[in-house]
Short mmCIF file of all heavy atoms in Angstrom, two decimals:
data_model
loop_
_atom_site.label_atom_id
_atom_site.label_comp_id
_atom_site.label_asym_id
_atom_site.label_seq_id
_atom_site.Cartn_x
_atom_site.Cartn_y
_atom_site.Cartn_z
N PHE A 279 3.51 2.90 -7.47
CA PHE A 279 2.93 1.56 -7.43
C PHE A 279 1.62 1.50 -8.22
O PHE A 279 0.83 0.59 -8.03
CB PHE A 279 2.69 1.14 -5.99
CG PHE A 279 3.89 1.32 -5.10
CD1 PHE A 279 3.86 2.21 -4.04
CD2 PHE A 279 5.06 0.63 -5.34
CE1 PHE A 279 4.96 2.38 -3.22
CE2 PHE A 279 6.16 0.80 -4.53
CZ PHE A 279 6.12 1.68 -3.47
N ARG A 280 1.39 2.49 -9.08
CA ARG A 280 0.16 2.54 -9.87
C ARG A 280 -0.06 1.23 -10.62
O ARG A 280 0.87 0.70 -11.24
CB ARG A 280 0.20 3.68 -10.88
CG ARG A 280 0.12 5.04 -10.25
CD ARG A 280 0.29 6.10 -11.28
NE ARG A 280 1.69 6.01 -11.78
CZ ARG A 280 2.18 6.79 -12.70
NH1 ARG A 280 1.43 7.69 -13.28
NH2 ARG A 280 3.43 6.66 -13.06
N ASN A 281 -1.28 0.72 -10.52
CA ASN A 281 -1.68 -0.52 -11.21
C ASN A 281 -0.85 -1.72 -10.80
O ASN A 281 -0.87 -2.75 -11.48
CB ASN A 281 -1.61 -0.34 -12.73
CG ASN A 281 -2.54 0.74 -13.22
OD1 ASN A 281 -3.72 0.72 -12.91
ND2 ASN A 281 -2.00 1.70 -13.94
N GLY A 282 -0.11 -1.62 -9.72
CA GLY A 282 0.77 -2.72 -9.29
C GLY A 282 0.05 -3.77 -8.48
O GLY A 282 -1.05 -3.55 -7.97
N ARG A 283 0.67 -4.91 -8.36
CA ARG A 283 0.15 -6.00 -7.53
C ARG A 283 0.99 -6.10 -6.27
O ARG A 283 2.12 -6.58 -6.31
CB ARG A 283 0.18 -7.32 -8.29
CG ARG A 283 -0.86 -7.39 -9.40
CD ARG A 283 -0.99 -8.79 -9.95
NE ARG A 283 -1.13 -9.78 -8.90
CZ ARG A 283 -2.29 -10.25 -8.43
NH1 ARG A 283 -3.41 -9.80 -8.92
NH2 ARG A 283 -2.33 -11.16 -7.49
N LEU A 284 0.42 -5.64 -5.17
CA LEU A 284 1.09 -5.70 -3.87
C LEU A 284 0.24 -6.50 -2.89
O LEU A 284 0.29 -6.27 -1.69
CB LEU A 284 1.31 -4.30 -3.31
CG LEU A 284 2.30 -3.43 -4.08
CD1 LEU A 284 2.26 -2.01 -3.56
CD2 LEU A 284 3.68 -4.00 -3.95
N SER A 285 -0.53 -7.42 -3.41
CA SER A 285 -1.41 -8.20 -2.53
C SER A 285 -0.59 -9.17 -1.69
O SER A 285 0.51 -9.58 -2.05
CB SER A 285 -2.45 -8.96 -3.36
OG SER A 285 -1.83 -9.84 -4.25
N ARG A 286 -1.19 -9.48 -0.52
CA ARG A 286 -0.62 -10.45 0.41
C ARG A 286 0.78 -10.08 0.88
O ARG A 286 1.66 -10.92 1.02
CB ARG A 286 -0.65 -11.85 -0.19
CG ARG A 286 -2.06 -12.26 -0.59
CD ARG A 286 -2.16 -13.70 -1.02
NE ARG A 286 -3.45 -14.00 -1.57
CZ ARG A 286 -4.57 -14.20 -0.89
NH1 ARG A 286 -4.57 -14.10 0.42
NH2 ARG A 286 -5.70 -14.48 -1.50
N ARG A 287 0.98 -8.78 1.16
CA ARG A 287 2.23 -8.28 1.71
C ARG A 287 1.99 -7.87 3.16
O ARG A 287 0.86 -7.62 3.58
CB ARG A 287 2.75 -7.06 0.94
CG ARG A 287 2.99 -7.26 -0.53
CD ARG A 287 4.19 -8.18 -0.76
NE ARG A 287 4.72 -8.10 -2.10
CZ ARG A 287 4.26 -8.73 -3.16
NH1 ARG A 287 3.19 -9.47 -3.04
NH2 ARG A 287 4.84 -8.64 -4.32
N GLU A 288 3.04 -7.79 3.93
CA GLU A 288 2.94 -7.38 5.32
C GLU A 288 3.89 -6.20 5.55
O GLU A 288 5.09 -6.30 5.27
CB GLU A 288 3.32 -8.55 6.23
CG GLU A 288 3.11 -8.27 7.68
CD GLU A 288 3.31 -9.52 8.51
OE1 GLU A 288 2.51 -10.47 8.36
OE2 GLU A 288 4.28 -9.55 9.30
N PHE A 289 3.33 -5.10 6.04
CA PHE A 289 4.09 -3.89 6.32
C PHE A 289 3.92 -3.55 7.79
O PHE A 289 2.81 -3.28 8.24
CB PHE A 289 3.60 -2.73 5.46
CG PHE A 289 3.76 -2.97 3.98
CD1 PHE A 289 2.72 -3.52 3.24
CD2 PHE A 289 4.94 -2.65 3.33
CE1 PHE A 289 2.85 -3.73 1.88
CE2 PHE A 289 5.09 -2.87 1.97
CZ PHE A 289 4.04 -3.41 1.24
N LEU A 290 5.00 -3.56 8.55
CA LEU A 290 4.95 -3.26 9.97
C LEU A 290 5.80 -2.03 10.25
O LEU A 290 6.99 -1.99 9.93
CB LEU A 290 5.48 -4.44 10.79
CG LEU A 290 4.76 -5.78 10.58
CD1 LEU A 290 5.47 -6.90 11.32
CD2 LEU A 290 3.32 -5.68 11.02
N ALA A 291 5.18 -1.02 10.84
CA ALA A 291 5.87 0.23 11.20
C ALA A 291 6.58 0.85 10.00
O ALA A 291 7.70 1.34 10.12
CB ALA A 291 6.84 -0.01 12.35
N CYS A 292 5.93 0.84 8.87
CA CYS A 292 6.50 1.43 7.65
C CYS A 292 5.90 2.82 7.42
O CYS A 292 4.82 3.12 7.88
CB CYS A 292 6.24 0.55 6.44
SG CYS A 292 7.17 -1.00 6.46
N ARG A 293 6.65 3.62 6.70
CA ARG A 293 6.20 4.98 6.36
C ARG A 293 6.19 5.13 4.85
O ARG A 293 7.17 4.77 4.18
CB ARG A 293 7.14 5.99 7.00
CG ARG A 293 6.75 7.40 6.76
CD ARG A 293 7.73 8.36 7.40
NE ARG A 293 7.37 9.70 6.98
CZ ARG A 293 6.91 10.63 7.79
NH1 ARG A 293 6.78 10.35 9.06
NH2 ARG A 293 6.61 11.81 7.33
N PHE A 294 5.08 5.67 4.33
CA PHE A 294 4.93 5.90 2.90
C PHE A 294 4.73 7.40 2.69
O PHE A 294 3.75 7.96 3.19
CB PHE A 294 3.73 5.13 2.35
CG PHE A 294 3.82 3.64 2.55
CD1 PHE A 294 3.28 3.03 3.67
CD2 PHE A 294 4.46 2.85 1.61
CE1 PHE A 294 3.36 1.67 3.86
CE2 PHE A 294 4.54 1.48 1.78
CZ PHE A 294 4.00 0.89 2.90
N ASP A 295 5.64 8.05 1.99
CA ASP A 295 5.55 9.48 1.72
C ASP A 295 5.44 9.71 0.22
O ASP A 295 6.30 9.27 -0.54
CB ASP A 295 6.78 10.22 2.25
CG ASP A 295 6.82 10.25 3.77
OD1 ASP A 295 5.80 10.60 4.38
OD2 ASP A 295 7.87 9.90 4.35
N ALA A 296 4.38 10.41 -0.18
CA ALA A 296 4.15 10.78 -1.58
C ALA A 296 4.19 9.57 -2.51
O ALA A 296 4.75 9.63 -3.60
CB ALA A 296 5.16 11.84 -2.03
N CYS A 297 3.59 8.48 -2.08
CA CYS A 297 3.53 7.26 -2.89
C CYS A 297 2.20 7.21 -3.64
O CYS A 297 1.17 7.65 -3.13
CB CYS A 297 3.69 6.02 -2.03
SG CYS A 297 5.33 5.85 -1.28
N ASP A 298 2.23 6.65 -4.83
CA ASP A 298 1.02 6.53 -5.65
C ASP A 298 0.60 5.07 -5.74
O ASP A 298 1.27 4.26 -6.37
CB ASP A 298 1.28 7.10 -7.05
CG ASP A 298 0.00 7.23 -7.87
OD1 ASP A 298 -1.05 6.71 -7.44
OD2 ASP A 298 0.07 7.87 -8.93
N PHE A 299 -0.50 4.74 -5.07
CA PHE A 299 -1.07 3.40 -5.08
C PHE A 299 -2.35 3.35 -5.92
O PHE A 299 -3.13 2.41 -5.79
CB PHE A 299 -1.43 2.96 -3.65
CG PHE A 299 -0.27 2.75 -2.73
CD1 PHE A 299 0.16 3.77 -1.90
CD2 PHE A 299 0.38 1.54 -2.69
CE1 PHE A 299 1.22 3.59 -1.03
CE2 PHE A 299 1.44 1.33 -1.81
CZ PHE A 299 1.87 2.36 -0.99
N SER A 300 -2.59 4.35 -6.75
CA SER A 300 -3.85 4.39 -7.50
C SER A 300 -3.98 3.17 -8.40
O SER A 300 -3.03 2.76 -9.06
CB SER A 300 -3.97 5.69 -8.31
OG SER A 300 -2.89 5.85 -9.18
N GLU A 301 -5.18 2.57 -8.35
CA GLU A 301 -5.51 1.37 -9.13
C GLU A 301 -4.67 0.15 -8.75
O GLU A 301 -4.69 -0.87 -9.43
CB GLU A 301 -5.37 1.62 -10.64
CG GLU A 301 -6.18 2.78 -11.17
CD GLU A 301 -7.67 2.49 -11.26
OE1 GLU A 301 -8.06 1.32 -11.34
OE2 GLU A 301 -8.44 3.46 -11.24
N ALA A 302 -3.90 0.22 -7.66
CA ALA A 302 -3.05 -0.90 -7.25
C ALA A 302 -3.87 -1.96 -6.52
O ALA A 302 -4.90 -1.68 -5.92
CB ALA A 302 -1.92 -0.42 -6.34
N ASP A 303 -3.40 -3.18 -6.58
CA ASP A 303 -4.03 -4.29 -5.85
C ASP A 303 -3.23 -4.50 -4.57
O ASP A 303 -2.15 -5.09 -4.60
CB ASP A 303 -4.03 -5.55 -6.71
CG ASP A 303 -4.64 -6.75 -5.99
OD1 ASP A 303 -5.12 -6.59 -4.85
OD2 ASP A 303 -4.62 -7.85 -6.57
N ILE A 304 -3.76 -4.00 -3.45
CA ILE A 304 -3.11 -4.22 -2.16
C ILE A 304 -4.00 -5.11 -1.28
O ILE A 304 -3.92 -5.08 -0.07
CB ILE A 304 -2.76 -2.89 -1.46
CG1 ILE A 304 -4.00 -2.03 -1.23
CG2 ILE A 304 -1.70 -2.13 -2.23
CD1 ILE A 304 -3.73 -0.78 -0.40
N SER A 305 -4.84 -5.89 -1.93
CA SER A 305 -5.77 -6.75 -1.21
C SER A 305 -5.04 -7.79 -0.37
O SER A 305 -3.95 -8.25 -0.71
CB SER A 305 -6.73 -7.44 -2.19
OG SER A 305 -6.01 -8.20 -3.13
N PHE A 306 -5.65 -8.11 0.76
CA PHE A 306 -5.15 -9.11 1.70
C PHE A 306 -3.75 -8.79 2.21
O PHE A 306 -3.00 -9.68 2.59
CB PHE A 306 -5.21 -10.53 1.10
CG PHE A 306 -6.61 -10.93 0.76
CD1 PHE A 306 -7.08 -10.81 -0.53
CD2 PHE A 306 -7.48 -11.36 1.75
CE1 PHE A 306 -8.38 -11.14 -0.86
CE2 PHE A 306 -8.79 -11.70 1.43
CZ PHE A 306 -9.25 -11.59 0.12
N SER A 307 -3.40 -7.50 2.23
CA SER A 307 -2.13 -7.07 2.81
C SER A 307 -2.39 -6.55 4.22
O SER A 307 -3.52 -6.21 4.57
CB SER A 307 -1.48 -5.97 1.96
OG SER A 307 -1.02 -6.51 0.75
N ARG A 308 -1.34 -6.47 5.02
CA ARG A 308 -1.46 -6.00 6.39
C ARG A 308 -0.60 -4.76 6.57
O ARG A 308 0.59 -4.79 6.26
CB ARG A 308 -1.04 -7.09 7.36
CG ARG A 308 -1.19 -6.70 8.80
CD ARG A 308 -0.90 -7.88 9.68
NE ARG A 308 0.09 -7.49 10.67
CZ ARG A 308 0.72 -8.33 11.45
NH1 ARG A 308 0.51 -9.62 11.36
NH2 ARG A 308 1.59 -7.90 12.33
N PHE A 309 -1.21 -3.70 7.05
CA PHE A 309 -0.51 -2.45 7.34
C PHE A 309 -0.70 -2.17 8.83
O PHE A 309 -1.77 -1.76 9.26
CB PHE A 309 -1.09 -1.30 6.51
CG PHE A 309 -0.94 -1.51 5.03
CD1 PHE A 309 -1.94 -2.14 4.30
CD2 PHE A 309 0.20 -1.08 4.37
CE1 PHE A 309 -1.81 -2.33 2.94
CE2 PHE A 309 0.34 -1.27 2.99
CZ PHE A 309 -0.66 -1.89 2.29
N GLU A 310 0.31 -2.44 9.62
CA GLU A 310 0.21 -2.26 11.06
C GLU A 310 1.22 -1.21 11.51
O GLU A 310 2.41 -1.29 11.19
CB GLU A 310 0.47 -3.58 11.78
CG GLU A 310 0.22 -3.50 13.26
CD GLU A 310 0.23 -4.86 13.94
OE1 GLU A 310 -0.15 -5.86 13.30
OE2 GLU A 310 0.61 -4.90 15.12
N ASP A 311 0.73 -0.21 12.25
CA ASP A 311 1.57 0.90 12.72
C ASP A 311 2.25 1.61 11.56
O ASP A 311 3.41 2.02 11.67
CB ASP A 311 2.60 0.42 13.74
CG ASP A 311 1.95 -0.11 15.01
OD1 ASP A 311 0.99 0.51 15.48
OD2 ASP A 311 2.40 -1.15 15.52
N CYS A 312 1.55 1.74 10.45
CA CYS A 312 2.09 2.40 9.26
C CYS A 312 1.51 3.80 9.12
O CYS A 312 0.41 4.07 9.57
CB CYS A 312 1.76 1.59 7.99
SG CYS A 312 2.62 0.03 7.88
N SER A 313 2.27 4.67 8.46
CA SER A 313 1.76 6.01 8.17
C SER A 313 1.89 6.28 6.68
O SER A 313 2.85 5.87 6.02
CB SER A 313 2.53 7.06 8.97
OG SER A 313 3.86 7.15 8.54
N PHE A 314 0.86 6.94 6.15
CA PHE A 314 0.79 7.34 4.75
C PHE A 314 0.68 8.86 4.75
O PHE A 314 -0.25 9.40 5.34
CB PHE A 314 -0.44 6.73 4.07
CG PHE A 314 -0.45 5.23 4.03
CD1 PHE A 314 -0.87 4.48 5.12
CD2 PHE A 314 -0.06 4.56 2.88
CE1 PHE A 314 -0.89 3.10 5.08
CE2 PHE A 314 -0.09 3.18 2.82
CZ PHE A 314 -0.50 2.44 3.92
N SER A 315 1.60 9.53 4.09
CA SER A 315 1.57 10.99 4.04
C SER A 315 1.65 11.45 2.59
O SER A 315 2.60 11.11 1.87
CB SER A 315 2.74 11.55 4.84
OG SER A 315 2.74 12.95 4.81
N GLY A 316 0.63 12.21 2.17
CA GLY A 316 0.63 12.72 0.80
C GLY A 316 0.53 11.65 -0.26
O GLY A 316 1.01 11.82 -1.38
N CYS A 317 -0.11 10.53 0.06
CA CYS A 317 -0.22 9.40 -0.87
C CYS A 317 -1.55 9.43 -1.61
O CYS A 317 -2.53 10.00 -1.15
CB CYS A 317 -0.09 8.08 -0.11
SG CYS A 317 1.52 7.81 0.65
N ASN A 318 -1.58 8.76 -2.74
CA ASN A 318 -2.79 8.61 -3.54
C ASN A 318 -3.16 7.13 -3.56
O ASN A 318 -2.40 6.31 -4.08
CB ASN A 318 -2.55 9.11 -4.96
CG ASN A 318 -3.78 9.00 -5.84
OD1 ASN A 318 -4.84 8.55 -5.42
ND2 ASN A 318 -3.65 9.41 -7.09
N LEU A 319 -4.30 6.79 -2.98
CA LEU A 319 -4.78 5.41 -2.96
C LEU A 319 -6.07 5.27 -3.76
O LEU A 319 -6.85 4.35 -3.56
CB LEU A 319 -5.00 4.92 -1.53
CG LEU A 319 -3.73 4.60 -0.74
CD1 LEU A 319 -3.22 5.79 -0.01
CD2 LEU A 319 -3.97 3.45 0.18
N SER A 320 -6.31 6.17 -4.68
CA SER A 320 -7.56 6.18 -5.43
C SER A 320 -7.80 4.88 -6.18
O SER A 320 -6.93 4.39 -6.89
CB SER A 320 -7.56 7.34 -6.43
OG SER A 320 -7.50 8.56 -5.73
N ASN A 321 -8.99 4.34 -5.96
CA ASN A 321 -9.45 3.12 -6.64
C ASN A 321 -8.53 1.92 -6.44
O ASN A 321 -8.51 1.01 -7.26
CB ASN A 321 -9.67 3.39 -8.13
CG ASN A 321 -10.74 4.43 -8.35
OD1 ASN A 321 -11.82 4.32 -7.78
ND2 ASN A 321 -10.44 5.43 -9.14
N ALA A 322 -7.81 1.90 -5.34
CA ALA A 322 -6.98 0.73 -5.02
C ALA A 322 -7.89 -0.40 -4.53
O ALA A 322 -8.93 -0.16 -3.92
CB ALA A 322 -5.96 1.08 -3.95
#
C-alpha cells in the first residue's frame, strides 16, 4: 500500500501481516480490534 490513498476507510477486527503502508495516506480511517504484524507504517 506504499504511497496509497486509504483515507476514510473502516477496518474492524482485521489482521495485517507483512503489509507496507509507508508514505500511505490512512488519515481519518478507523482501525478497531485490528492487529498489525511485521508491517511498515513509516511516514504514513
Side-chain angles (χ1 to χ4, degrees):
F279 309 117
R280 290 174 293 179
N281 299 307
R283 289 191 49 94
L284 293 171
S285 60
R286 303 188 189 282
R287 302 290 197 278
E288 186 172 295
F289 298 93
L290 303 174
C292 291
R293 182 180 173 113
F294 300 92
D295 291 311
C297 293
D298 190 350
F299 293 94
S300 57
E301 305 286 337
D303 179 3
I304 58 174
S305 58
F306 299 98
S307 290
R308 183 174 128 191
F309 298 91
E310 187 169 329
D311 296 319
C312 291
S313 67
F314 297 82
S315 180
C317 295
N318 181 0
L319 286 90
S320 297
N321 298 310

